[in-house]
Amino acid sequence: MTEYERWLSVDLDDKDLTEELLSVQNQPEEINDRFYRNLEFGTGGLRGVIGAGTNRMNVYTVRKATQGLANYLIQTGEGKPLSVAIAHDSRNKGVLFARESAAVLAANGIKAYLYPQLMPTPALSYAVRHLKCDAGICVTASHNPAKYNGYKAYGSDGCQVTEGMADGIMAAIEALDIFADVKKIPFDEALAAGKIEYIGEETVSAFIADVYKESILGKPADNLKLVYTPLNGSGKMCVLRILDKIGVKDVTVVPEQSEPDGNFPTCPYPNPEIREALQKGLELCETVKPDLLLATDPDCDRVGIAVNQNGTYQLMTGNEVGIVLLNFIAQCKTELGTMPKDPVAVTTIVSTDMVNDIAKDYGIEIRRVLTGFKYIGDQIALLESEGHPERYLLGFEESYGYLSGGYVRDKDAVNGSMLICEMASYYKEKGMTLIDAINELYEKYGYYKNDLCNFTFEGEDGMKQMNAIMDGLRTNPPTEIAGFKVIGNSDYKLSVRTDGEEKSEITLPKSNVLEYRLENGSKLIVRPSGTEPKIKIYLSGKGKTREESEEIIAKMKAAATALLGL
């Protein structure tokens, strides 16, 4: 309440915030939710609801975060000239937050390179590396609903910040007063003085060119017909450019979702993982009859698809696309004689186990990392440091993130769109769809089915409930789930894997994740989201038939609520 009253007493330069604060004067619960904590800065940066308060995304929390980043860079920069690249997507207040970030950096003597138009998140990762910057900022809330915005921070390698750097930036942020300790300079003044510089077309063209270098086929994918939706986000320009380069000319863009709009009026939850977000595209498919519907999320780092299967459009999961992509890349490189020695693919602990079987057939080493593409980026960097970047074939997450090259250190839906279209073209020449391709793999390797349960916990009480649930599971782990005995579990926070009576160390970084392995070969993973007030439960089941695997998943899904004690 004291902080709320302090904000009311300050002459805020964003008058929308003052009006908002006045509108909640007699709502103690609303005031508490806005001020009970500061937005937490972690490896995912900041993410929150747009609005007034310390627990909201606004110009003051963004400026404070940027001042903390500036102080951290100055403290660790050994006196050298510093620079930071900045991008934003179509989110409300995105332009404002990007400009304010640039102005704070400029006031601290740090050169800011700013994309003058909205750009995909991977293009920000690319700019950090291409312009040899010390850090990067992307103003985005990825696929969250319209009320959110966020602030992703990147290191000089183009990866989202690691735990150590995030902790250092967080400490620098916490040492600041949100009003008194932030340095400011007018944006236009800094731009005129050369302290802020717009990122030019040369960088954008270089990004597209490096994506194109990852082309697998080496010939035009000109037999495809597409419907594409950028979901009112930042993907349109870059995705259409790469599709044109690989020869995909017949592309119809969903008109209602073609242009940037942070309100996402036709897809309130702009996530290509869910059918509702693709509904306008699916409706257009009924008229256009394309081979494929392609959808990128607002910051264009994830891509989802629906496949024309005998006139019906079937969605494919992120796991399924990752499986078919790995098989396609390995098969093509083997056919072309370009498969590297000791190839490596990287995926996460929550992604499908089916990749293990495919990898074994092609002699590919599978590396499992924590959720978060920065960990996949770390593996790319490790291969580069060993002098063998060519060993890296593909990195993918079950949440629709893919990357086949080392030119960026984040998932890239521009790259993913190109690979998926080349793959669809390849199978079309064989008289197959991507659904046919995944079914062929299921027939060969068994029916691996995966699902995801989301449980939402809003506000301060929700945060406490989430923590209590995780503590309870950690203290009293289940002995059976959905009628199946738990034969092993892994606690990634305590770095301990238990198999029967045997315990072993998990060598990955610590993370608040719990995994349960069941007697039938299935597994269930519990993980609080790093970007939303949710607990996610990842389900993995394998059966001899599609029906058997779906039945196993249904049983586990029914047991998930009870597992959390809800």
Side-chain angles (χ1 to χ4, degrees), residues 514-554:
L514 297 168
E515 176 184 293
Y516 304 103
R517 295 178 294 284
L518 310 184
E519 60 184 337
N520 66 340
S522 300
K523 68 180 180 182
L524 181 148
I525 297 176
V526 185
R527 169 183 165 264
S529 170
T531 56
E532 300 170 90
K534 289 180 178 180
I535 287 180
K536 296 185 172 188
I537 295 187
Y538 301 84
L539 310 174
S540 175
K542 180 190 177 185
K544 294 177 182 176
T545 65
R546 182 187 305 276
E547 292 73 25
E548 184 182 340
S549 61
E550 287 175 349
E551 186 180 328
I552 292 167
I553 288 291

Coordinates of all heavy atoms in Angstrom, one line a residue, residues 514-554:
L514 N 10.1 -32.1 -11.9 CA 10.0 -33.5 -11.3 C 9.5 -34.4 -12.4 O 8.6 -34.2 -13.1 CB 9.0 -33.5 -10.2 CG 9.3 -32.7 -8.9 CD1 8.1 -32.5 -8.0 CD2 10.5 -33.3 -8.2
E515 N 10.2 -35.6 -12.5 CA 9.9 -36.6 -13.5 C 9.6 -37.9 -12.9 O 10.3 -38.4 -12.0 CB 11.1 -36.7 -14.5 CG 10.9 -37.8 -15.6 CD 12.2 -38.0 -16.4 OE1 12.5 -37.0 -17.1 OE2 12.8 -39.0 -16.3
Y516 N 8.5 -38.6 -13.4 CA 8.1 -39.9 -12.8 C 8.1 -40.9 -14.0 O 7.4 -40.7 -15.0 CB 6.8 -39.8 -12.1 CG 6.7 -38.8 -11.0 CD1 6.1 -37.6 -11.2 CD2 7.4 -39.0 -9.8 CE1 6.1 -36.6 -10.2 CE2 7.4 -38.1 -8.8 CZ 6.8 -36.9 -9.0 OH 6.8 -35.9 -8.0
R517 N 8.8 -42.0 -13.9 CA 8.9 -43.0 -14.9 C 8.0 -44.2 -14.4 O 8.2 -44.7 -13.3 CB 10.3 -43.5 -15.2 CG 11.1 -42.3 -15.8 CD 12.6 -42.7 -16.0 NE 13.3 -43.0 -14.8 CZ 13.8 -42.0 -14.0 NH1 13.6 -40.7 -14.3 NH2 14.4 -42.3 -12.9
L518 N 7.1 -44.7 -15.3 CA 6.1 -45.7 -14.9 C 6.5 -47.1 -15.5 O 7.3 -47.2 -16.4 CB 4.8 -45.3 -15.4 CG 4.3 -43.9 -15.1 CD1 2.9 -43.6 -15.6 CD2 4.4 -43.6 -13.6
E519 N 6.0 -48.1 -14.9 CA 6.3 -49.5 -15.2 C 6.0 -49.9 -16.6 O 6.6 -50.8 -17.2 CB 5.6 -50.4 -14.2 CG 4.1 -50.4 -14.3 CD 3.4 -51.3 -13.3 OE1 4.1 -52.2 -12.8 OE2 2.3 -51.0 -12.9
N520 N 5.1 -49.2 -17.3 CA 4.7 -49.5 -18.6 C 5.5 -48.7 -19.7 O 5.2 -48.8 -20.9 CB 3.2 -49.2 -18.9 CG 2.9 -47.7 -18.8 OD1 3.7 -47.0 -18.2 ND2 1.8 -47.3 -19.3
G521 N 6.6 -48.0 -19.2 CA 7.4 -47.3 -20.2 C 7.0 -45.9 -20.4 O 7.7 -45.1 -21.1
S522 N 5.9 -45.5 -19.8 CA 5.4 -44.1 -19.9 C 6.1 -43.2 -18.9 O 6.8 -43.7 -18.0 CB 3.9 -44.0 -19.7 OG 3.2 -44.8 -20.6
K523 N 6.0 -41.9 -19.0 CA 6.5 -41.0 -18.0 C 5.7 -39.7 -17.9 O 4.9 -39.4 -18.8 CB 8.0 -40.6 -18.4 CG 8.2 -39.8 -19.6 CD 9.7 -39.5 -19.8 CE 9.9 -38.6 -21.1 NZ 11.3 -38.3 -21.3
L524 N 5.8 -39.1 -16.8 CA 5.0 -37.9 -16.5 C 6.0 -36.9 -15.9 O 6.7 -37.2 -15.0 CB 3.9 -38.2 -15.6 CG 2.9 -37.1 -15.2 CD1 1.5 -37.7 -14.9 CD2 3.4 -36.4 -13.9
I525 N 6.0 -35.6 -16.4 CA 6.9 -34.6 -15.9 C 6.1 -33.4 -15.4 O 5.2 -32.9 -16.1 CB 7.9 -34.2 -17.0 CG1 8.8 -35.4 -17.4 CG2 8.8 -33.0 -16.5 CD1 9.7 -35.1 -18.5
V526 N 6.4 -32.9 -14.2 CA 5.7 -31.7 -13.6 C 6.7 -30.6 -13.6 O 7.8 -30.7 -13.1 CB 5.2 -32.1 -12.2 CG1 4.4 -30.9 -11.7 CG2 4.4 -33.3 -12.2
R527 N 6.3 -29.4 -14.2 CA 7.2 -28.3 -14.3 C 6.4 -27.0 -14.2 O 5.5 -26.8 -15.0 CB 7.9 -28.4 -15.6 CG 8.7 -27.1 -16.0 CD 9.4 -27.2 -17.3 NE 9.8 -25.9 -17.8 CZ 9.1 -25.1 -18.6 NH1 7.9 -25.5 -19.1 NH2 9.6 -24.0 -19.0
P528 N 6.7 -26.1 -13.3 CA 6.1 -24.8 -13.3 C 6.6 -24.0 -14.5 O 7.8 -24.0 -14.8 CB 6.6 -24.1 -12.0 CG 7.1 -25.2 -11.2 CD 7.6 -26.3 -12.1
S529 N 5.7 -23.3 -15.2 CA 6.2 -22.5 -16.4 C 7.1 -21.4 -15.9 O 6.9 -20.8 -14.8 CB 4.9 -21.9 -17.1 OG 5.3 -20.9 -18.0
G530 N 8.1 -21.0 -16.7 CA 8.9 -19.9 -16.4 C 8.4 -18.6 -16.9 O 9.0 -17.5 -16.6
T531 N 7.3 -18.6 -17.7 CA 6.8 -17.4 -18.3 C 5.3 -17.1 -18.0 O 4.9 -16.0 -18.3 CB 7.0 -17.4 -19.8 OG1 6.3 -18.6 -20.3 CG2 8.5 -17.5 -20.1
E532 N 4.6 -18.0 -17.4 CA 3.2 -17.9 -17.1 C 2.9 -18.5 -15.7 O 3.6 -19.3 -15.3 CB 2.4 -18.6 -18.2 CG 2.6 -18.1 -19.6 CD 1.9 -19.0 -20.6 OE1 0.7 -18.8 -20.9 OE2 2.5 -20.0 -21.1
P533 N 1.8 -18.0 -15.1 CA 1.4 -18.6 -13.8 C 0.8 -19.9 -13.9 O -0.4 -20.1 -13.7 CB 0.5 -17.5 -13.2 CG -0.2 -16.9 -14.4 CD 0.9 -16.9 -15.5
K534 N 1.6 -20.9 -14.3 CA 1.0 -22.3 -14.7 C 1.9 -23.3 -14.1 O 3.2 -23.2 -14.1 CB 0.9 -22.4 -16.2 CG -0.2 -21.6 -16.9 CD -0.2 -22.0 -18.3 CE -1.3 -21.2 -19.1 NZ -1.3 -21.5 -20.5
I535 N 1.3 -24.5 -13.8 CA 2.1 -25.7 -13.7 C 1.7 -26.5 -14.9 O 0.6 -26.7 -15.3 CB 1.7 -26.5 -12.4 CG1 2.3 -25.8 -11.2 CG2 2.2 -27.9 -12.5 CD1 2.0 -26.5 -9.9
K536 N 2.8 -27.0 -15.6 CA 2.6 -27.9 -16.8 C 2.9 -29.3 -16.4 O 3.9 -29.6 -15.8 CB 3.5 -27.4 -17.9 CG 3.2 -26.0 -18.4 CD 4.1 -25.6 -19.6 CE 3.6 -24.3 -20.2 NZ 4.3 -24.0 -21.5
I537 N 2.1 -30.2 -16.9 CA 2.3 -31.6 -16.8 C 2.5 -32.2 -18.2 O 1.5 -32.2 -19.0 CB 1.2 -32.3 -16.0 CG1 1.2 -31.8 -14.5 CG2 1.5 -33.8 -16.0 CD1 0.3 -32.6 -13.6
Y538 N 3.6 -32.8 -18.4 CA 3.9 -33.4 -19.7 C 3.7 -34.9 -19.6 O 4.3 -35.5 -18.7 CB 5.4 -33.1 -20.1 CG 5.7 -31.6 -20.2 CD1 6.1 -30.9 -19.1 CD2 5.7 -31.0 -21.5 CE1 6.4 -29.6 -19.2 CE2 6.1 -29.6 -21.6 CZ 6.4 -28.9 -20.4 OH 6.7 -27.6 -20.5
L539 N 2.9 -35.4 -20.5 CA 2.6 -36.8 -20.5 C 3.2 -37.5 -21.7 O 3.1 -37.0 -22.8 CB 1.1 -37.0 -20.6 CG 0.2 -36.2 -19.6 CD1 -1.3 -36.4 -19.8 CD2 0.6 -36.6 -18.1
S540 N 3.8 -38.7 -21.5 CA 4.4 -39.5 -22.6 C 4.0 -40.9 -22.4 O 4.2 -41.5 -21.4 CB 5.9 -39.3 -22.6 OG 6.5 -40.2 -23.5
G541 N 3.3 -41.5 -23.5 CA 2.9 -42.9 -23.4 C 3.3 -43.6 -24.7 O 3.3 -43.0 -25.8
K542 N 3.6 -44.8 -24.6 CA 3.9 -45.6 -25.8 C 3.1 -46.9 -25.8 O 3.1 -47.6 -24.8 CB 5.4 -46.0 -25.9 CG 5.8 -46.8 -27.1 CD 7.2 -47.3 -27.0 CE 7.6 -48.2 -28.2 NZ 8.9 -48.8 -28.1
G543 N 2.5 -47.2 -27.0 CA 1.7 -48.4 -27.1 C 2.0 -49.1 -28.4 O 2.7 -48.5 -29.3
K544 N 1.6 -50.4 -28.5 CA 1.8 -51.1 -29.8 C 0.9 -50.6 -30.9 O 1.2 -50.8 -32.1 CB 1.6 -52.6 -29.5 CG 2.6 -53.3 -28.6 CD 2.2 -54.7 -28.3 CE 3.2 -55.3 -27.4 NZ 2.9 -56.7 -27.0
T545 N -0.2 -50.0 -30.5 CA -1.1 -49.4 -31.5 C -1.5 -48.0 -31.1 O -1.2 -47.6 -29.9 CB -2.5 -50.2 -31.5 OG1 -3.1 -50.1 -30.2 CG2 -2.2 -51.7 -31.8
R546 N -2.0 -47.3 -32.0 CA -2.5 -45.9 -31.7 C -3.5 -45.9 -30.6 O -3.4 -45.1 -29.7 CB -3.1 -45.3 -33.0 CG -3.5 -43.8 -32.8 CD -4.3 -43.3 -34.0 NE -3.5 -43.5 -35.2 CZ -2.6 -42.6 -35.7 NH1 -2.3 -41.5 -35.0 NH2 -1.9 -42.9 -36.8
E547 N -4.4 -46.8 -30.6 CA -5.5 -46.9 -29.6 C -4.9 -47.1 -28.2 O -5.3 -46.5 -27.2 CB -6.5 -48.0 -30.0 CG -7.3 -47.7 -31.2 CD -6.5 -47.8 -32.5 OE1 -5.5 -48.6 -32.5 OE2 -6.9 -47.2 -33.5
E548 N -3.9 -48.0 -28.2 CA -3.3 -48.3 -26.9 C -2.6 -47.1 -26.3 O -2.7 -46.8 -25.1 CB -2.4 -49.5 -27.0 CG -1.8 -50.0 -25.7 CD -0.8 -51.1 -25.9 OE1 -0.8 -51.8 -26.9 OE2 0.1 -51.3 -25.0
S549 N -1.8 -46.5 -27.1 CA -1.1 -45.3 -26.6 C -2.0 -44.2 -26.2 O -1.8 -43.5 -25.2 CB -0.1 -44.8 -27.6 OG -0.7 -44.4 -28.8
E550 N -3.1 -44.0 -27.0 CA -4.1 -42.9 -26.6 C -4.8 -43.3 -25.3 O -5.2 -42.4 -24.5 CB -5.1 -42.7 -27.8 CG -4.4 -42.0 -29.0 CD -5.4 -41.9 -30.2 OE1 -6.4 -42.6 -30.2 OE2 -5.0 -41.2 -31.1
E551 N -5.1 -44.5 -25.1 CA -5.7 -45.0 -23.9 C -4.8 -44.7 -22.7 O -5.3 -44.3 -21.6 CB -6.1 -46.5 -24.0 CG -6.9 -47.0 -22.8 CD -7.2 -48.5 -22.9 OE1 -7.4 -49.0 -24.1 OE2 -7.3 -49.2 -21.9
I552 N -3.5 -45.0 -22.8 CA -2.6 -44.7 -21.7 C -2.5 -43.2 -21.4 O -2.6 -42.8 -20.2 CB -1.2 -45.2 -22.1 CG1 -1.2 -46.8 -22.2 CG2 -0.1 -44.7 -21.1 CD1 0.1 -47.3 -22.8
I553 N -2.5 -42.4 -22.4 CA -2.4 -40.9 -22.2 C -3.7 -40.5 -21.6 O -3.7 -39.6 -20.7 CB -2.2 -40.2 -23.6 CG1 -0.8 -40.4 -24.1 CG2 -2.6 -38.7 -23.5 CD1 0.3 -39.7 -23.3
A554 N -4.9 -41.0 -22.0 CA -6.2 -40.6 -21.4 C -6.2 -40.9 -19.9 O -6.6 -40.1 -19.0 CB -7.3 -41.3 -22.1

